[in-house]
Amino acid sequence: MKTGLCAGVLVVAFPMADVSQAADAEAGRSIADRWCAACHVIPDGDADSRAVRGTDAVPTLSSIARDPNHNPNWLRQWLIFPHPPMPDLNLTRSETDDVIAYLQAMAR
Ligand code: HEC
């Protein structure tokens, strides 16, 4: 199967997923930097800006990434339908995949 390489990231939860575009952890990092750092501490970022913006009332992205219950499908569901108090960020499907790739890379 041709998509074998990316199978870990592109597990297709939604039939319409655009699988032609590979998820990109580096793009995910900049999305996380822009959209998640306001609330979640991003550990490998440039400390100045991020450490102060994240709050310890919210799990850090690295603790989320390392939690074995948070597999890519779970994360995708969460990002598409987050529960309050986390807002719906309206990420596109490929942005969601990129963020998941970034979290997967962080967990390694
Ligand atoms: C406006 C603040 C805010 C932003 C922005 C935000 N989050 Fe959250 N997030 C939260 C809060 C608050 C929770 C905790 C929800 C809870 O306790 O039920 C949370 C929970 C989560 C969880 C679930 C953790 C768990 O263990 O249940 C994930 C995964 C997550 N966020 C990922 C992200 C990602 C990825 C982004 C960026 C694309 C992001 N969040 C942006 C506030 C935010």
Side-chain angles (χ1 to χ4, degrees):
M1 161 169 144
K2 284 204 178 104
T3 54
L5 188 62
C6 300
V9 173
L10 292 175
V11 177
V12 182
F14 296 88
M16 287 162 63
D18 178 10
V19 287
S20 63
Q21 211 180 344
D24 177 347
E26 199 43 50
R29 177 149 138 46
S30 58
I31 293 163
D33 190 30
R34 201 165 342 136
W35 297 110
C36 319
C39 304
H40 294 271
V41 173
I42 295 188
D44 63 345
D46 96 63
D48 300 343
S49 51
R50 277 154 231 162
V52 283
R53 281 192 280 148
T55 136
D56 61 6
V58 178
T60 64
L61 287 192
S62 67
S63 72
I64 290 169
R66 291 202 179 90
D67 185 331
N69 294 322
H70 293 156
N71 62 44
N73 278 333
W74 189 96
L75 290 167
R76 182 171 292 107
Q77 290 290 341
W78 175 271
L79 290 172
I80 294 171
F81 305 109
H83 306 180
M86 179 164 148
D88 185 346
L89 296 161
N90 285 315
L91 297 177
T92 66
R93 210 179 303 274
S94 84
E95 284 170 335
T96 303
D97 283 340
D98 290 348
V99 169
I100 292 166
Y102 167 61
L103 291 172
Q104 296 299 104
M106 199 195 287
R108 271 183 221 122

